[in-house]
Amino acid sequence: MGEYFAGWFPAGWEFLGYTLAALIQAVLLVHVIALGAFVFIWAERKVSGRIQDRLGPTRTGGAFGWLQSLADGIKLLSKEDLMPKDADPILFRLAPYVSFAASFAAFMALPFAFDWVALHLNVGLFFLIAVLGLEVFGVILAGYSSGSKWSLFGAMRQAAQVVSYEVPLGICVVVPLMICGTMDLVAIGEQQRGLFTNWLIFHDPFIFVAFWVYFTCAVASVNRAPFDLAEAESELVAGFLTEYSGIRWSLFFMAEYGSMILVSALAAILFFGGWNGPLPVFSGLMDLAPNYLGNCWWFGTLANLFGVLNLLIKASIGVIAMMWVRWTFPRLRVDQVITMCLKYCVPIAAVCLLGVLCWTALGVPFFNDLLPSQDRSLVREGWVRDAEKRAAKRIEQMEANAKQGSQGDVE
Amino acid sequence: MNLLGAAIDATINWHSVMFYVTSLIACGFALVVLLTNNIVRMAFALIVSLSAISGLLFLAGAYFVGTMQLMIYVGGTVVLLIFGVMLTAQKAFITMRTSAGDWLLGLLVGGTFLAVLVQLAFSIPQWESSSYQAKSDQELTAYVAELEQEIQSGKTLSQDQRQKLVQLEVEATQGEPQRTGEIGLALVGLRPDKDPQQSEGLSGYLLPFEIVSVHLLVVLVGAAYLARARRQQG
């Protein structure tokens, strides 16, 4: 993208193009979180209304109350920004930003379609997991700097929960990584191209179990019910958020919704084929007219746009499942939360890891191999693929040059 | 306008600008760690400083090490530090007072360490310039010129030559990819990046890795023992 915009500017001013590209990417990423929160806060009210047999918002902005989030936002913006007398003023003000920045930074390495990623890392998955663990800082800082016992205990419960759930989450993430053999999220998504049976969740029974463990741990690590005892607003006075109001309070919730979208999108990429639809429509079209469509700039863009749509739909399904879980299950006690993690999630995840290891090491056939549509070995890491394209172009040009040169000699 | 553009191009390398900004953040917050008295603020400044260092590693193209820095130092160690502060705090906010003797000792140890590190850094010639990118670009153009000559003399390219071109393209655009696997192999004693004939004696990082692991294990056992002993007394 940077190279494209750099072409717009005269020589010496290319950096403006790169700056423009960076700004566009940053604005797009902020809007994934902001618009996502906008939509999902409304959806949460509707879903919870349906589950509890009521209507939810109905009036703001028409029949479905779809402007309810905007009304909420205006209300939160106009609230007074309170700070307790005993609070540490600097840290109290900074904590929401730390939380939000951690959630936002993780989106940098998340691919939305083939090669549509702000920062293409060959360790993208590892980076995401590392950044996801940083969110606990905002919580600890908020709880500690509030100068309130409720906040302090809420923060400690939350920190204990997030730190302990990182262990099974990490193990579950290693399972698809082991099958794909790369930490590059673009490559992991690309390896699941083709029919939906190529999605890693259908790879073998162990990874199917690993997905459910991953989802449980993801719900716990983004601090949603039934694992939301850290903020349990009805029983424990909202935990680390007790002293926050207005826009700072809403920043924490923006971060929470951002993380929900992030873990759902990660689940979609790791287990549900990422940006690949259930049917290989675009690669089928490509097979029909490779010479024409392969040279069309709009074809790849169109395919990627549909890929983004696919990924967002899958991520939304994940987020709505989290809401469904929230309004269905009772909240767990702190000892139940830790028991769930250490006695159930960790052993099951470890067994899945070993199971997939044996499954692939013993060469048991999996569904993907039975399908003729894909040649798995052909799918390589994105960088090499790009380089191959460029090298081919270079060779073509060299040959053309050589031809011209030889003709010139003849004449 | 073109002249001004050329002047900017000549003077400003935006990669360097980002490097200076990030390193300024890292050093500035490191100073805050030194100068503030409040322990939790210190921990916060430490987080920012360590994150900025991981940003420096990202700028240098060492994605794996940068992520490791985030995971281990920012995500793990500092959380533990804050936990320790929270569990041992008697008042709401602990302040730390350092005596003149502590300052002296700290300056002595830190200054010695800094002197050693600076000398070490300047003793390695490759680190004095960032010519890595330029070198890989040069390699690529040289190889392309070589191939062009071959084509013009009427030969067709072999598969190996194409492979090498692809490899050079990857290196020129993305730095050296797939280092993660090599780091893993080096940790267990294999150095795929070195010529096996040339390396003498111990190769790889197996011994330091093993020592660090055993050290961590001892620390863990000791921590568990201390925690248990205290509970029995209470």
mmCIF file of all heavy atoms in Angstrom, chain A residues 6-37:
data_model
loop_
_atom_site.group_PDB
_atom_site.id
_atom_site.type_symbol
_atom_site.label_atom_id
_atom_site.label_comp_id
_atom_site.label_asym_id
_atom_site.label_seq_id
_atom_site.Cartn_x
_atom_site.Cartn_y
_atom_site.Cartn_z
ATOM 1 N N ALA A 6 3.180 6.009 -2.637
ATOM 2 C CA ALA A 6 4.438 6.713 -2.871
ATOM 3 C C ALA A 6 4.552 7.135 -4.332
ATOM 4 O O ALA A 6 5.160 8.159 -4.657
ATOM 5 C CB ALA A 6 5.607 5.814 -2.483
ATOM 6 N N GLY A 7 3.902 6.373 -5.230
ATOM 7 C CA GLY A 7 3.933 6.710 -6.638
ATOM 8 C C GLY A 7 3.195 7.994 -6.974
ATOM 9 O O GLY A 7 3.402 8.565 -8.034
ATOM 10 N N TRP A 8 2.325 8.431 -6.063
ATOM 11 C CA TRP A 8 1.553 9.640 -6.336
ATOM 12 C C TRP A 8 2.380 10.912 -6.167
ATOM 13 O O TRP A 8 2.015 11.958 -6.664
ATOM 14 C CB TRP A 8 0.377 9.732 -5.358
ATOM 15 C CG TRP A 8 -0.708 8.764 -5.622
ATOM 16 C CD1 TRP A 8 -0.677 7.705 -6.483
ATOM 17 C CD2 TRP A 8 -2.000 8.754 -5.026
ATOM 18 N NE1 TRP A 8 -1.858 7.037 -6.444
ATOM 19 C CE2 TRP A 8 -2.694 7.660 -5.560
ATOM 20 C CE3 TRP A 8 -2.638 9.576 -4.090
ATOM 21 C CZ2 TRP A 8 -3.990 7.366 -5.191
ATOM 22 C CZ3 TRP A 8 -3.925 9.272 -3.726
ATOM 23 C CH2 TRP A 8 -4.597 8.175 -4.266
ATOM 24 N N PHE A 9 3.449 10.791 -5.409
ATOM 25 C CA PHE A 9 4.166 12.002 -5.024
ATOM 26 C C PHE A 9 5.449 12.134 -5.832
ATOM 27 O O PHE A 9 6.002 11.122 -6.282
ATOM 28 C CB PHE A 9 4.481 11.961 -3.523
ATOM 29 C CG PHE A 9 3.240 12.062 -2.689
ATOM 30 C CD1 PHE A 9 2.594 10.912 -2.269
ATOM 31 C CD2 PHE A 9 2.702 13.292 -2.336
ATOM 32 C CE1 PHE A 9 1.436 10.994 -1.513
ATOM 33 C CE2 PHE A 9 1.559 13.383 -1.589
ATOM 34 C CZ PHE A 9 0.918 12.238 -1.174
ATOM 35 N N PRO A 10 5.922 13.370 -6.035
ATOM 36 C CA PRO A 10 7.165 13.553 -6.794
ATOM 37 C C PRO A 10 8.358 12.983 -6.038
ATOM 38 O O PRO A 10 8.265 12.691 -4.842
ATOM 39 C CB PRO A 10 7.271 15.079 -6.916
ATOM 40 C CG PRO A 10 6.445 15.607 -5.803
ATOM 41 C CD PRO A 10 5.328 14.644 -5.614
ATOM 42 N N ALA A 11 9.443 12.834 -6.741
ATOM 43 C CA ALA A 11 10.638 12.239 -6.145
ATOM 44 C C ALA A 11 11.063 13.049 -4.926
ATOM 45 O O ALA A 11 11.016 14.281 -4.932
ATOM 46 C CB ALA A 11 11.763 12.226 -7.178
ATOM 47 N N GLY A 12 11.447 12.361 -3.893
ATOM 48 C CA GLY A 12 11.858 13.055 -2.674
ATOM 49 C C GLY A 12 10.731 13.227 -1.693
ATOM 50 O O GLY A 12 10.959 13.466 -0.528
ATOM 51 N N TRP A 13 9.488 13.139 -2.173
ATOM 52 C CA TRP A 13 8.351 13.319 -1.273
ATOM 53 C C TRP A 13 7.610 12.008 -1.052
ATOM 54 O O TRP A 13 6.457 12.004 -0.630
ATOM 55 C CB TRP A 13 7.401 14.371 -1.849
ATOM 56 C CG TRP A 13 8.007 15.724 -1.859
ATOM 57 C CD1 TRP A 13 8.814 16.247 -2.816
ATOM 58 C CD2 TRP A 13 7.896 16.716 -0.847
ATOM 59 N NE1 TRP A 13 9.211 17.508 -2.474
ATOM 60 C CE2 TRP A 13 8.653 17.828 -1.261
ATOM 61 C CE3 TRP A 13 7.228 16.779 0.380
ATOM 62 C CZ2 TRP A 13 8.768 18.975 -0.492
ATOM 63 C CZ3 TRP A 13 7.342 17.940 1.125
ATOM 64 C CH2 TRP A 13 8.107 19.012 0.698
ATOM 65 N N GLU A 14 8.277 10.890 -1.354
ATOM 66 C CA GLU A 14 7.593 9.598 -1.216
ATOM 67 C C GLU A 14 7.149 9.332 0.211
ATOM 68 O O GLU A 14 6.165 8.647 0.445
ATOM 69 C CB GLU A 14 8.507 8.451 -1.661
ATOM 70 C CG GLU A 14 8.622 8.287 -3.147
ATOM 71 C CD GLU A 14 9.848 8.972 -3.669
ATOM 72 O OE1 GLU A 14 10.483 9.682 -2.870
ATOM 73 O OE2 GLU A 14 10.172 8.810 -4.845
ATOM 74 N N PHE A 15 7.886 9.935 1.166
ATOM 75 C CA PHE A 15 7.534 9.644 2.561
ATOM 76 C C PHE A 15 6.111 10.093 2.861
ATOM 77 O O PHE A 15 5.446 9.521 3.703
ATOM 78 C CB PHE A 15 8.532 10.307 3.509
ATOM 79 C CG PHE A 15 8.447 11.804 3.555
ATOM 80 C CD1 PHE A 15 7.627 12.413 4.488
ATOM 81 C CD2 PHE A 15 9.193 12.590 2.698
ATOM 82 C CE1 PHE A 15 7.546 13.782 4.543
ATOM 83 C CE2 PHE A 15 9.119 13.948 2.752
ATOM 84 C CZ PHE A 15 8.284 14.558 3.681
ATOM 85 N N LEU A 16 5.622 11.126 2.106
ATOM 86 C CA LEU A 16 4.229 11.544 2.299
ATOM 87 C C LEU A 16 3.282 10.405 1.940
ATOM 88 O O LEU A 16 2.281 10.181 2.615
ATOM 89 C CB LEU A 16 3.935 12.762 1.428
ATOM 90 C CG LEU A 16 4.475 14.087 1.955
ATOM 91 C CD1 LEU A 16 4.170 15.183 0.969
ATOM 92 C CD2 LEU A 16 3.849 14.398 3.302
ATOM 93 N N GLY A 17 3.636 9.678 0.874
ATOM 94 C CA GLY A 17 2.822 8.534 0.481
ATOM 95 C C GLY A 17 2.784 7.479 1.565
ATOM 96 O O GLY A 17 1.731 6.954 1.908
ATOM 97 N N TYR A 18 3.974 7.196 2.145
ATOM 98 C CA TYR A 18 4.018 6.188 3.205
ATOM 99 C C TYR A 18 3.230 6.643 4.422
ATOM 100 O O TYR A 18 2.517 5.860 5.050
ATOM 101 C CB TYR A 18 5.467 5.893 3.594
ATOM 102 C CG TYR A 18 6.199 5.100 2.550
ATOM 103 C CD1 TYR A 18 7.120 5.697 1.714
ATOM 104 C CD2 TYR A 18 5.947 3.752 2.395
ATOM 105 C CE1 TYR A 18 7.779 4.981 0.740
ATOM 106 C CE2 TYR A 18 6.586 3.018 1.434
ATOM 107 C CZ TYR A 18 7.510 3.645 0.604
ATOM 108 O OH TYR A 18 8.134 2.917 -0.351
ATOM 109 N N THR A 19 3.350 7.958 4.741
ATOM 110 C CA THR A 19 2.598 8.480 5.875
ATOM 111 C C THR A 19 1.106 8.348 5.633
ATOM 112 O O THR A 19 0.348 7.953 6.526
ATOM 113 C CB THR A 19 2.958 9.957 6.105
ATOM 114 O OG1 THR A 19 4.364 10.095 5.998
ATOM 115 C CG2 THR A 19 2.497 10.430 7.446
ATOM 116 N N LEU A 20 0.689 8.668 4.394
ATOM 117 C CA LEU A 20 -0.727 8.565 4.038
ATOM 118 C C LEU A 20 -1.215 7.129 4.210
ATOM 119 O O LEU A 20 -2.276 6.887 4.803
ATOM 120 C CB LEU A 20 -0.905 9.025 2.590
ATOM 121 C CG LEU A 20 -2.341 9.241 2.120
ATOM 122 C CD1 LEU A 20 -2.940 10.403 2.869
ATOM 123 C CD2 LEU A 20 -2.371 9.512 0.628
ATOM 124 N N ALA A 21 -0.413 6.178 3.704
ATOM 125 C CA ALA A 21 -0.809 4.773 3.810
ATOM 126 C C ALA A 21 -0.937 4.364 5.270
ATOM 127 O O ALA A 21 -1.906 3.710 5.667
ATOM 128 C CB ALA A 21 0.218 3.897 3.101
ATOM 129 N N ALA A 22 0.030 4.793 6.097
ATOM 130 C CA ALA A 22 -0.014 4.434 7.511
ATOM 131 C C ALA A 22 -1.247 5.032 8.165
ATOM 132 O O ALA A 22 -1.935 4.366 8.951
ATOM 133 C CB ALA A 22 1.244 4.925 8.215
ATOM 134 N N LEU A 23 -1.565 6.301 7.811
ATOM 135 C CA LEU A 23 -2.740 6.951 8.404
ATOM 136 C C LEU A 23 -4.017 6.216 8.018
ATOM 137 O O LEU A 23 -4.883 5.979 8.855
ATOM 138 C CB LEU A 23 -2.826 8.400 7.930
ATOM 139 C CG LEU A 23 -1.958 9.389 8.693
ATOM 140 C CD1 LEU A 23 -2.116 10.767 8.103
ATOM 141 C CD2 LEU A 23 -2.360 9.392 10.152
ATOM 142 N N ILE A 24 -4.113 5.848 6.726
ATOM 143 C CA ILE A 24 -5.329 5.158 6.274
ATOM 144 C C ILE A 24 -5.495 3.851 7.030
ATOM 145 O O ILE A 24 -6.568 3.518 7.525
ATOM 146 C CB ILE A 24 -5.260 4.913 4.751
ATOM 147 C CG1 ILE A 24 -5.448 6.228 4.009
ATOM 148 C CG2 ILE A 24 -6.338 3.933 4.324
ATOM 149 C CD1 ILE A 24 -5.239 6.118 2.532
ATOM 150 N N GLN A 25 -4.376 3.098 7.162
ATOM 151 C CA GLN A 25 -4.469 1.823 7.863
ATOM 152 C C GLN A 25 -4.863 2.022 9.313
ATOM 153 O O GLN A 25 -5.712 1.297 9.852
ATOM 154 C CB GLN A 25 -3.142 1.081 7.764
ATOM 155 C CG GLN A 25 -2.946 0.489 6.383
ATOM 156 C CD GLN A 25 -1.575 -0.086 6.200
ATOM 157 O OE1 GLN A 25 -0.704 0.104 7.025
ATOM 158 N NE2 GLN A 25 -1.386 -0.789 5.115
ATOM 159 N N ALA A 26 -4.277 3.050 9.959
ATOM 160 C CA ALA A 26 -4.589 3.274 11.370
ATOM 161 C C ALA A 26 -6.053 3.644 11.536
ATOM 162 O O ALA A 26 -6.741 3.125 12.428
ATOM 163 C CB ALA A 26 -3.696 4.379 11.929
ATOM 164 N N VAL A 27 -6.554 4.526 10.630
ATOM 165 C CA VAL A 27 -7.957 4.937 10.746
ATOM 166 C C VAL A 27 -8.880 3.743 10.539
ATOM 167 O O VAL A 27 -9.848 3.533 11.288
ATOM 168 C CB VAL A 27 -8.247 6.046 9.711
ATOM 169 C CG1 VAL A 27 -9.737 6.265 9.563
ATOM 170 C CG2 VAL A 27 -7.595 7.338 10.140
ATOM 171 N N LEU A 28 -8.555 2.892 9.563
ATOM 172 C CA LEU A 28 -9.376 1.704 9.325
ATOM 173 C C LEU A 28 -9.402 0.809 10.566
ATOM 174 O O LEU A 28 -10.460 0.326 10.975
ATOM 175 C CB LEU A 28 -8.831 0.917 8.132
ATOM 176 C CG LEU A 28 -9.196 1.446 6.754
ATOM 177 C CD1 LEU A 28 -8.526 0.606 5.687
ATOM 178 C CD2 LEU A 28 -10.690 1.410 6.559
ATOM 179 N N LEU A 29 -8.228 0.622 11.180
ATOM 180 C CA LEU A 29 -8.160 -0.272 12.341
ATOM 181 C C LEU A 29 -8.939 0.307 13.518
ATOM 182 O O LEU A 29 -9.638 -0.423 14.221
ATOM 183 C CB LEU A 29 -6.705 -0.506 12.743
ATOM 184 C CG LEU A 29 -5.940 -1.448 11.837
ATOM 185 C CD1 LEU A 29 -4.565 -1.688 12.404
ATOM 186 C CD2 LEU A 29 -6.664 -2.761 11.708
ATOM 187 N N VAL A 30 -8.838 1.642 13.726
ATOM 188 C CA VAL A 30 -9.601 2.252 14.816
ATOM 189 C C VAL A 30 -11.086 2.032 14.577
ATOM 190 O O VAL A 30 -11.841 1.742 15.512
ATOM 191 C CB VAL A 30 -9.284 3.757 14.913
ATOM 192 C CG1 VAL A 30 -10.285 4.445 15.806
ATOM 193 C CG2 VAL A 30 -7.909 3.962 15.480
ATOM 194 N N HIS A 31 -11.486 2.113 13.294
ATOM 195 C CA HIS A 31 -12.909 1.956 13.014
ATOM 196 C C HIS A 31 -13.374 0.523 13.179
ATOM 197 O O HIS A 31 -14.559 0.302 13.421
ATOM 198 C CB HIS A 31 -13.235 2.498 11.628
ATOM 199 C CG HIS A 31 -13.400 3.966 11.655
ATOM 200 N ND1 HIS A 31 -12.331 4.815 11.680
ATOM 201 C CD2 HIS A 31 -14.508 4.740 11.742
ATOM 202 C CE1 HIS A 31 -12.779 6.049 11.749
ATOM 203 N NE2 HIS A 31 -14.085 6.032 11.793
ATOM 204 N N VAL A 32 -12.462 -0.442 13.011
ATOM 205 C CA VAL A 32 -12.878 -1.814 13.303
ATOM 206 C C VAL A 32 -13.321 -1.900 14.758
ATOM 207 O O VAL A 32 -14.364 -2.471 15.082
ATOM 208 C CB VAL A 32 -11.729 -2.804 13.035
ATOM 209 C CG1 VAL A 32 -12.092 -4.175 13.553
ATOM 210 C CG2 VAL A 32 -11.450 -2.875 11.564
ATOM 211 N N ILE A 33 -12.547 -1.278 15.661
ATOM 212 C CA ILE A 33 -12.911 -1.328 17.076
ATOM 213 C C ILE A 33 -14.129 -0.447 17.344
ATOM 214 O O ILE A 33 -15.095 -0.868 17.978
ATOM 215 C CB ILE A 33 -11.731 -0.877 17.953
ATOM 216 C CG1 ILE A 33 -10.532 -1.774 17.708
ATOM 217 C CG2 ILE A 33 -12.117 -0.918 19.410
ATOM 218 C CD1 ILE A 33 -9.365 -1.423 18.554
ATOM 219 N N ALA A 34 -14.093 0.802 16.833
ATOM 220 C CA ALA A 34 -15.144 1.755 17.191
ATOM 221 C C ALA A 34 -16.495 1.324 16.627
ATOM 222 O O ALA A 34 -17.483 1.237 17.364
ATOM 223 C CB ALA A 34 -14.765 3.138 16.673
ATOM 224 N N LEU A 35 -16.532 1.016 15.321
ATOM 225 C CA LEU A 35 -17.796 0.596 14.737
ATOM 226 C C LEU A 35 -18.222 -0.760 15.281
ATOM 227 O O LEU A 35 -19.412 -1.005 15.486
ATOM 228 C CB LEU A 35 -17.684 0.536 13.207
ATOM 229 C CG LEU A 35 -17.674 1.887 12.511
ATOM 230 C CD1 LEU A 35 -17.581 1.689 11.017
ATOM 231 C CD2 LEU A 35 -18.936 2.660 12.841
ATOM 232 N N GLY A 36 -17.232 -1.629 15.533
ATOM 233 C CA GLY A 36 -17.550 -2.928 16.120
ATOM 234 C C GLY A 36 -18.231 -2.748 17.463
ATOM 235 O O GLY A 36 -19.275 -3.347 17.731
ATOM 236 N N ALA A 37 -17.662 -1.883 18.306
ATOM 237 C CA ALA A 37 -18.274 -1.640 19.611
ATOM 238 C C ALA A 37 -19.661 -1.033 19.422
ATOM 239 O O ALA A 37 -20.614 -1.418 20.099
ATOM 240 C CB ALA A 37 -17.397 -0.711 20.437
#
